């Protein structure tokens, strides 16, 4: 029985400005080592500073770019188990599921798999994983091209996960929770130190769930020990290792139904939303290992050295049924017309390794009332990807309305679809300058030169890419309460290792302008940004799953954010984004028939002018938290407008809204909490695949648990 809730919201959106010259006094309240933050406010809910924009600390309101951050307090309030939960707080971000085994995000109309960059503690990560939040204290997002500092793939956005590092104090936290769909989760966080020069921290997680959809059990377990040592007053060494095992059942969702009048897949099959058409042999396991060694040395108040070594190893084995639509078929046994689901099977064996090092020098100095910051660095990394993709083209048809599995797990007719042994070596120097003038102006300018060699012996590819990625930004405060800014940047990406055909670099260019305001001494802050982002040589997977460079896309939009923290007991986040994303030059190759000996006949269809996939025009988010002594409450609403699932623009996911809420009660060292998600029990879809199927989202769900905190061991 569908639950109904009626909620009346009164929202007062106030947009005025903040502006306070960034100075050494501000730095005394806030220190930054890359993206590891220590703030005078022990548990802030609204982020005041960032370092993702220039790898040096800047206030959010004095950054001439769009940057948003979600703090640990908000992550805990919302019971964010995976990164998709946290990213719903970021304006215009549309979280997506890749067959239930990995997540990715649409940012400004572009997906992060091919157009974004994932970082952990400022270093690159594999894209196609589900990021668990058990050891994350902060999420930062830089919108637009980020190759000017990070290289690689950030054409539309850069996401940095800041992990919990060892601290020079003693504490312990443990959380046990459970809830809908037989979900159970345990998290531990223990830190021990001599309070002087040695510290050790351990984070661990175990989680299991049946998930919402049938036969979609998942389990996750991980450990993350971290060690810090100060060999001298001016030096620190951090060593951090993480092992994470994630097992998620593949999910291709519910099939779209063939319209016999138009011969198009343009309607969602009317079947139970939790029904699955996967096989009993579907499985996916990812084993991730990370090792990071970070050394810093402060020479004086102005000059600092940082060296970070990083190593990541991802082993991914997966096999899962692909749902290719539902079609009418004549059953010879019953002499009747039935509707069957067409399926295939994809088998992936993938092993990725990233080994690299970042060496940086930062310089900061005040010349009277003028402040100058300089970052110079060089990054070198070695990336390998050895993979095979096998396909079983014809699994047994299964009845849409009365599914009875007949597949026996015979993969003898599987064929090698793709394979690769790709190696990419990159050496990239970069520089960033930031200047703050007493007249209210500030500037930033920098760039990175990537020299990358790409080699794949199995596919006889050997190419070199050399490209400079610049970025410039400027801001001006005509009044103490107003900050105007603009920026422009370029980015490029070496081709995906799974790209077929041309191997030209993908390129993007963005211009952005905005205004940031605040009032009531900075308790309420707002920002408004408009942008235009264009990308060429897009890598697009077609209906067969092959990824080819197929054209260009342009996205224009507006993003609005208001954050308010009137007191330490009350905080709100409101975001809205309008996105107009279209394929400006794109043609798709379709099979239009077969010749007399059975070979497929192809024809190119022009999709230029069509809307980009999973790029809704409107996304709105609101979250409010309030503390009443030992009690805390929070509630939020999210609205997403309709969106297309494929470039042919035939099928649209309807618009939807959801309502979430939380409550907690603290007693001594214990905190009981409860989270209710999708209280309105809205029916909506999360994602889709090549115009063949969509994944339904979970209905109303509730989770509860107890958190134990011990400030001093």
């Amino acid at each position: 029985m569908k639950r109904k809730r009626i909620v009346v919201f009164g929202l007062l959106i106030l947009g005025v400005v903040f502006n306070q010259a960034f100075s050494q006094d501000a730095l005394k309240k806030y220190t930054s080592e890359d993206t590891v933050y220590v703030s005078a406010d022990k548990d802030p809910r609204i982020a005041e500073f960032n370092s993702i924009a220039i790898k040096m600390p800047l206030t959010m309101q004095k950054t001439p770019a769009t940057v948003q951050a979600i703090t640990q307090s908000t992550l805990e309030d919302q019971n964010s188990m995976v990164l998709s939960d946290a990213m719903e707080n970021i304006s215009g971000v549309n979280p997506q599921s890749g067959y239930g085994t990995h997540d990715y995000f649409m940012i400004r109309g572009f997906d992060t798999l091919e157009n974004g960059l994932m970082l952990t503690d400022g270093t690159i990560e594999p894209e196609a994983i589900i990021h668990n939040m058990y050891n994350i204290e902060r999420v930062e997002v830089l919108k637009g091209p980020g190759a000017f500092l990070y290289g690689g793939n950030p054409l539309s956005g850069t996401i940095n996960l800041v992990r919990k590092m060892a601290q020079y104090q003693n504490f312990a936290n443990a959380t046990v929770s459970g809830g809908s769909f037989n979900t159970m989760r345990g998290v531990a966080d223990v830190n021990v130190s001599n309070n002087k020069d040695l510290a050790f921290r351990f984070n661990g997680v175990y989680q299991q769930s049946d998930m919402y959809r049938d036969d979609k059990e998942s389990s996750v377990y991980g450990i993350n020990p971290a060690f810090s040592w100060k060999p001298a007053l001016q030096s620190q060494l951090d060593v951090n290792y993480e092992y994470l095992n994630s097992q998620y059942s593949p999910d291709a969702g519910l099939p779209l139904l063939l319209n016999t009048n138009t011969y198009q897949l343009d309607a969602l099959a009317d079947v139970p939303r939790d029904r699955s058409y996967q096989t009993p042999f579907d499985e996916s396991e990812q084993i991730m290992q990370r090792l990071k060694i970070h050394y810093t040395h402060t020479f004086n108040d102005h000059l600092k050295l940082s060296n970070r070594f990083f190593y990541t190893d991802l082993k991914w084995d997966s096999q899962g049924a692909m749902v290719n639509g539902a079609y009418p078929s004549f059953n010879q046994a019953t002499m009747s017309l039935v509707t069957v689901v067409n399926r295939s099977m994809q088998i992936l064996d993938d092993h990725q390794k990233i080994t690299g090092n970042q060496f940086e020098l930062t310089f900061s100095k005040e010349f009277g009332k003028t402040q100058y910051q300089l970052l110079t660095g060089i990054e070198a990394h070695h990336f390998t990807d050895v993979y095979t993709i096998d396909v079983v083209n014809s699994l047994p048809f299964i009845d849409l309305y009365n599914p009875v599995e007949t597949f026996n797990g015979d993969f003898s007719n599987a064929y090698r679809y793709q394979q690769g042994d790709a190696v990419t070596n990159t050496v990239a120097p970069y520089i960033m300058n930031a200047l703050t003038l007493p007249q209210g102006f500030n500037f930033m300018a920098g760039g990175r030169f990537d020299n990358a060699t790409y080699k794949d012996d199995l596919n006889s590819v050997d190419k070199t890419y050399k490209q400079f990625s610049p970025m410039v930004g400027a801001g001006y405060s005509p009044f103490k309460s107003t900050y105007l800014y603009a920026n422009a940047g370029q980015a490029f990406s070496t081709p995906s290792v799974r790209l077929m055909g041309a191997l030209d670099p993908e390129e993007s260019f963005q211009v952005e302008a905005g205004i940031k305001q605040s009032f009531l001494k900075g308790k309420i802050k707002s920002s408004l940004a408009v942008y235009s982002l264009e990308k060429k040589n897009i890598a697009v997977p077609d209906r067969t799953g092959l990824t080819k460079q197929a054209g260009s896309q342009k996205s224009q939009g507006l993003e609005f954010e208001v954050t308010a923290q009137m007191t330490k007991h009350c905080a709100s986040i409101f975001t809205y984004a309008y996105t107009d994303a279209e394929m400006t030059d794109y043609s798709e190759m379709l099979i239009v028939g077969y010749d007399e000996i059975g070979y497929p006949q192809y024809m190119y269809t022009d999709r230029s002018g069509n809307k980009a996939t999973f790029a809704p025009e409107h996304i709105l988010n609101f979250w409010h938290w309030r503390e009443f002594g030992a009690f805390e409450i929070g509630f939020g609403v999210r609205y997403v407008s309709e969106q297309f699932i494929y470039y042919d623009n035939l099928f649209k996911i309807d618009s939807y809204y959801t309502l979430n809420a939380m409550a907690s009660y603290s007693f001594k060292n214990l905190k009981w909490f409860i989270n209710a998600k999708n209280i309105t029990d809205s029916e909506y879809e999360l994602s889709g695949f090549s115009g063949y199927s969509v994944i339904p989202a979970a209905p109303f769900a509730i989770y509860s648990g107890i958190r134990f905190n011990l400030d001093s061991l």
Side-chain angles (χ1 to χ4, degrees), residues 109 153 197 228 362 384 405 509 533 557 587 698:
N153 204 29
D197 56 5
S228 292
T362 57
T384 63
E405 185 60 71
F509 176 74
L533 174 62
S587 59

Side-chain angles (χ1 to χ4, degrees), residues 23-41:
S23 66
Q24 295 296 332
D25 290 337
L27 280 173
K28 291 177 182 177
K29 296 187 295 182
Y30 173 87
T31 62
S32 171
E33 294 180 2
D34 288 341
T35 46
V36 179
Y37 294 86
V38 179
S39 174
D41 185 350

Side-chain angles (χ1 to χ4, degrees), residues 81 177-185 207-210 703:
M81 299 183 188
S177 63
S180 299
F181 321 122
N182 294 319
T183 299
M184 295 183 294
R185 180 179 172 91
Q207 175 183 316
Q208 67 178 40
S209 177
D210 290 344
Y703 304 92

Side-chain angles (χ1 to χ4, degrees), residues 37-62:
Y37 294 86
V38 179
S39 174
D41 185 350
K42 181 181 178 182
D43 210 16
R45 280 175 167 76
I46 304 300
E48 297 285 345
F49 295 84
N50 81 90
S51 66
I52 190 173
I54 63 171
K55 282 199 169 187
M56 295 178 288
L58 281 178
T59 63
M60 289 290 193
Q61 298 295 104
K62 292 290 286 185

Side-chain angles (χ1 to χ4, degrees), residues 88-152:
E88 289 188 352
N89 295 285
I90 306 298
S91 62
V93 172
N94 190 18
Q96 296 288 292
S97 172
Y99 291 104
T101 61
H102 63 89
D103 54 20
Y104 64 98
F105 310 96
M106 301 299 296
I107 300 179
R108 293 187 168 177
F110 294 88
D111 72 88
T112 55
L113 287 177
E114 303 294 340
N115 312 282
L117 185 67
M118 290 298 311
L119 306 173
T120 298
D121 302 329
T123 61
I124 59 175
E125 286 288 318
E127 298 290 339
I129 61 177
I130 292 181
H131 299 271
N132 201 285
M133 303 299 287
Y134 77 102
N135 61 344
I136 303 300
E137 71 174 22
R138 182 182 177 97
V139 178
E140 286 191 333
V141 180
L142 170 66
K143 303 286 190 68
F148 65 98
L149 274 182
Y150 302 104

Side-chain angles (χ1 to χ4, degrees), residues 563-585:
T563 60
Q565 182 138 16
M566 304 302 295
T567 71
K568 65 179 181 179
H569 306 292
C570 177
S572 302
I573 302 172
F574 172 85
T575 67
Y576 166 76
Y578 168 78
T579 305
D580 179 17
E582 71 171 35
M583 308 302 294
T584 54
D585 179 18

